[in-house]
Amino acid sequence: MSYILGFFDILSNLGASVMMPIIIFVIALCLGTGFGKALKSGLTMGVAFIGINLVINLLGNTIGPAAQQMVENLNLNLNILDVGWPTAAQIAFSTKVGAIIIPVCLLVNVVMLIFNLTQTADIDIWNFWQLAFTGSLVAIVTSSVALGLLAAVCEFVIALVLADLTADKIAKVTKMDGISFPHTMTVVLASISFVVDKIIDKIPGLNKIDINAKKMEEKLGVLGDPLIIGFVIGLVIGILAYGIKAYDKYLLIAITLGATLVLIPAMAKYFGESLTPISERAQVIVNKKFKNRGKIYIGMDAAVALGNSTTIATALILTPIIILLALIVPHNQFLPFADLGSAPYIMALIVPMCNENAFRSLLIAISMMAIGVLLSTAIAPIFTQAALSASYQLPEGFSLVSCISNASTPLNFILVKVSEILRSYGAAIFFAVTSLVCAIANGIRIRKQVKKTKEVSEN
């Protein structure tokens, strides 16, 4: 067992840019795509991750200081520091729950696939840190690693079910059939977005507003081009941060943000190229050797869905708004900072679930982030305790830390609070029953879906 855990520890330490190409290469070989195709798929996945990360880092390095300057301009005095998702991931994988989360969740996924309780084969192993994050917080609250692990598994099962339910809807926008997103934070936001989108459909006036990058480009011509939109948004953010006289700073921000709206969709295309052979081969095998299975989805990082200009444009607008929310939301003590660059991931699945309607997407995202800063505030003491237990050194001047990406996720907060209220056996029963109910209900849905598809094809 120690060798197995050591292997997965080495794998997770490689980071997504190295780990995912290896996984894609091995899976492609196992599915019989041939060595050449398998190697190209793996390397293309590496290109996609490195390209996306380069652009996202560029975005963060540009908009981060500008956002921080806006914080200073607004004289925000908040005592909980946003340390960002990379730090949260490092802390999560450094805990006892994080040490065993990968093999445990892979086993759960295999069992669910065998018993037809999910259609998602989750290969996004790097983002299991989000599950370890939740499990680590629960372990802190309950003083039980076993309960923490059970909470992480419960979150994983829910994420797989939500990934199944949202896959086809997202594929209509991303044009990547056979891909799902069990990426916890984004799939939870996607599911909430779907419900809120349906509610907005019933509200007169609001239901008539439809703004997206494609329509803007059609109506405005060159002014609606994503490059121009990014440039204008960058100008506004730069001027708000540095003032009208600092043209050297805000012009650089404007050009950089315009470039991101061009580069991110270009990089995202490589995800589709790397996954298409695997997705097609997996579906052929399923159709040939298994019955009552329906589609099989490849579970991927939300970065795969970033190739949409509306997603990036709304993310750029959302970034300064998160700062504003930190100022105006009552009882908030959380200072958004290191995770401001993750705004594209926040928007990644909200936009497809809202049919690329930028107005609705932003409305939902702003509402969720208003709640999110409060959740990040509430979870900070437990997160800080987990950080200290993983030997994390707190930044000077701050006694509490949190992050906007995962600490603000409603599902994460609910699981932690349930464990805090029910403790011991009560929490264990809740996590176990919730996991079983979600898995069985999803299995019933899959079988009904397959039966309906067969009836339609026969007729």
Side-chain angles (χ1 to χ4, degrees):
M1 179 59 71
S2 62
Y3 287 114
I4 293 173
L5 295 178
F7 168 75
F8 284 112
D9 187 45
I10 292 170
L11 196 62
S12 64
N13 287 336
L14 292 173
S17 297
V18 176
M19 182 174 68
M20 290 308 298
I22 294 173
I23 292 171
I24 291 293
F25 171 67
V26 172
I27 290 176
L29 279 181
C30 292
L31 292 175
T33 58
F35 183 86
K37 278 189 176 182
L39 181 61
K40 187 175 180 180
S41 289
L43 293 177
T44 304
M45 175 61 70
V47 170
F49 264 107
I50 289 173
I52 285 288
N53 287 337
L54 284 172
V55 182
I56 292 295
N57 288 337
L58 175 65
L59 176 63
N61 292 335
T62 303
I63 206 169
Q68 182 64 16
Q69 185 61 49
M70 289 174 64
V71 169
E72 293 178 12
N73 293 347
L74 295 169
N75 294 316
L76 290 179
N77 185 21
L78 305 171
N79 61 2
I80 301 172
L81 182 64
D82 175 11
V83 294
W85 72 262
T87 300
Q90 179 186 356
I91 291 168
F93 274 136
S94 299
T95 63
K96 291 180 180 178
V97 174
I100 57 175
I101 193 69
I102 293 177
V104 168
C105 286
L106 285 176
L107 179 61
V108 169
N109 196 184
V110 168
V111 170
M112 289 182 69
L113 286 168
I114 290 172
F115 289 97
N116 206 13
L117 301 176
T118 184
Q119 295 165 282
T120 294
D122 189 2
I123 64 172
D124 184 24
I125 294 175
W126 165 251
N127 279 306
F128 284 7
W129 76 262
Q130 298 190 24
L131 310 171
F133 179 86
T134 302
S136 300
L137 299 190
V138 170
I140 290 288
V141 168
T142 61
S143 300
S144 170
V145 174
L147 266 180
L149 192 59
L150 189 56
V153 168
C154 179
E155 184 171 71
F156 184 51
V157 171
I158 293 171
L160 288 174
V161 173
L162 294 179
D164 288 348
L165 293 172
T166 56
D168 288 342
K169 173 84 171 174
I170 294 169
K172 290 180 181 178
V173 173
T174 63
K175 310 301 180 186
M176 292 183 183
D177 197 33
I179 307 298
S180 69
F181 300 93
H183 185 268
T184 311
M185 178 191 76
T186 54
V187 79
V188 168
L189 292 178
S191 304
I192 294 171
S193 301
F194 177 77
V195 175
V196 177
D197 185 63
K198 294 300 181 185
I199 294 172
I200 294 175
D201 279 338
K202 307 295 182 183
I203 302 175
L206 280 182
N207 59 7
K208 301 297 183 183
I209 302 174
D210 186 7
I211 304 170
N212 67 48
K214 291 179 182 176
K215 290 183 178 180
M216 287 178 65
E217 194 167 356
E218 289 172 2
K219 291 181 179 179
L220 300 177
V222 69
L223 294 178
D225 187 281
L227 177 60
I228 305 298
I229 293 171
F231 180 82
V232 171
I233 293 171
L235 274 181
V236 173
I237 292 173
I239 291 171
L240 287 175
Y242 301 112
I244 192 68
K245 293 183 179 179
Y247 59 86
D248 57 329
K249 293 182 178 180
Y250 63 70
L251 284 176
L252 178 61
I253 292 173
I255 293 172
T256 301
L257 298 195
T260 61
L261 263 70
V262 175
L263 294 174
I264 288 180
M267 291 298 102
K269 290 179 182 178
Y270 287 105
F271 282 116
E273 289 182 23
S274 67
L275 291 168
T276 298
I278 292 176
S279 179
E280 291 176 350
R281 184 62 185 160
Q283 204 58 54
V284 168
I285 292 173
V286 169
N287 293 338
K288 186 177 180 180
K289 297 190 175 182
F290 299 97
K291 295 180 179 180
N292 301 321
R293 286 283 169 173
K295 283 185 177 180
I296 289 292
Y297 303 110
I298 305 298
M300 284 299 303
D301 189 312
V304 175
L306 289 180
N308 185 285
S309 52
T310 302
T311 298
I312 308 304
T314 51
L316 296 180
I317 297 170
L318 179 65
T319 303
I321 290 176
I322 293 175
I323 296 287
L324 180 61
L325 291 172
L327 176 66
I328 65 176
V329 172
H331 308 297
N332 173 58
Q333 299 173 46
F334 175 71
L335 173 61
F337 177 54
D339 247 354
L340 288 172
S342 66
Y345 294 92
I346 293 171
M347 300 304 307
L349 303 188
I350 293 179
V351 169
M353 297 305 287
C354 294
N355 297 309
E356 300 181 89
N357 187 326
F359 171 77
R360 292 191 186 190
S361 300
L362 265 176
L363 184 64
I364 293 169
I366 292 168
S367 302
M368 291 309 303
M369 288 302 102
I371 297 170
V373 293
L374 292 178
L375 296 183
S376 297
T377 297
I379 214 82
I382 307 170
F383 178 54
T384 303
Q385 197 174 344
L388 292 172
S389 70
S391 301
Y392 175 75
Q393 296 294 319
L394 295 179
E396 186 177 348
F398 290 89
S399 60
L400 291 172
V401 293
S402 192
C403 65
I404 196 67
S405 56
N406 218 49
S408 66
T409 305
L411 176 59
N412 178 294
F413 182 80
I414 290 169
L415 294 177
V416 172
K417 283 302 172 183
V418 164
S419 69
E420 196 172 29
I421 294 168
L422 298 181
R423 300 278 179 172
S424 194
Y425 295 112
I429 291 170
F430 175 86
F431 295 143
V433 170
T434 301
S435 300
L436 287 172
V437 168
C438 289
I440 292 170
N442 197 43
I444 293 171
R445 179 196 63 82
I446 293 169
R447 287 170 176 79
K448 285 183 178 179
Q449 185 183 67
V450 172
K451 184 179 179 181
K452 185 177 180 180
T453 302
K454 283 184 177 179
E455 289 174 352
V456 170
S457 62
E458 288 173 359
N459 294 332

